Amino acid sequence: MPDEQGHPERDEIELGKVLMALADPTRRRVVKALLEDVEFAERHCTSFGLQLSKATRSHHFRILREAGLIRQVDRGNSRMAQLRRQDIEQRFPGLLGLILQEADKDIAP
């Protein structure tokens, strides 16, 4: 059962939800940016340079969170995103490697 912020437990992360979340190029770009960062790095949702409204940005991060790809943590009045790298790699070995290999030009802005 997801926690109060909507994060599913590792064993509850479903491949279908993960693939649906990753089908969107904007969300895939966020995941790739987190993959390219140091492990356990936390980033503010505005740090990804997404040219989106706040509501649309929040929607994308909610989809990523509910799919189990990221964990969002409140830090004061900010919400930080962290890739659930170990959980995803354990559930779906090799998936993150495929995302990392995708050329930036193949991910639409």
Side-chain angles (χ1 to χ4, degrees), residues 1-2 6 10-11 23 26-27 30 36-38 40 48 50 53 56 64-65 72 79 81 83-84 86 93 96 101 108:
M1 176 172 227
R10 178 181 30 219
D11 295 337
T26 297
R27 294 191 288 264
V30 167
E36 292 171 340
D37 214 336
V38 296
F40 304 114
F48 294 93
L50 305 175
S53 70
T56 301
L64 291 169
R65 181 181 68 242
Q72 288 187 293
R79 183 167 254 201
L83 183 65
R84 294 179 64 178
Q86 292 176 346
L96 295 177
Q101 290 175 14

Side-chain angles (χ1 to χ4, degrees), residues 11-76:
D11 295 337
E12 297 173 330
I13 299 173
E14 300 174 22
L15 181 59
K17 287 185 179 181
V18 168
L19 292 176
M20 284 179 58
L22 292 173
D24 183 272
T26 297
R27 294 191 288 264
R28 218 166 43 253
R29 193 161 43 132
V30 167
V31 170
K32 186 172 183 184
L34 288 168
L35 270 169
E36 292 171 340
D37 214 336
V38 296
E39 192 166 359
F40 304 114
E42 294 180 353
R43 289 184 56 180
H44 193 275
C45 64
T46 60
S47 72
F48 294 93
L50 305 175
Q51 301 299 312
L52 305 169
S53 70
K54 183 178 179 182
T56 301
R57 202 170 44 240
S58 294
H59 166 77
H60 284 297
F61 280 87
R62 179 180 57 82
I63 297 296
L64 291 169
R65 181 181 68 242
E66 290 177 355
L69 287 161
I70 64 168
R71 181 169 304 283
Q72 288 187 293
V73 182
D74 291 328
R75 301 278 186 240

Side-chain angles (χ1 to χ4, degrees), residues 91-104:
R91 290 283 289 146
F92 313 111
L95 178 63
L96 295 177
L98 292 172
I99 295 167
L100 199 52
Q101 290 175 14
E102 184 176 27
D104 289 332

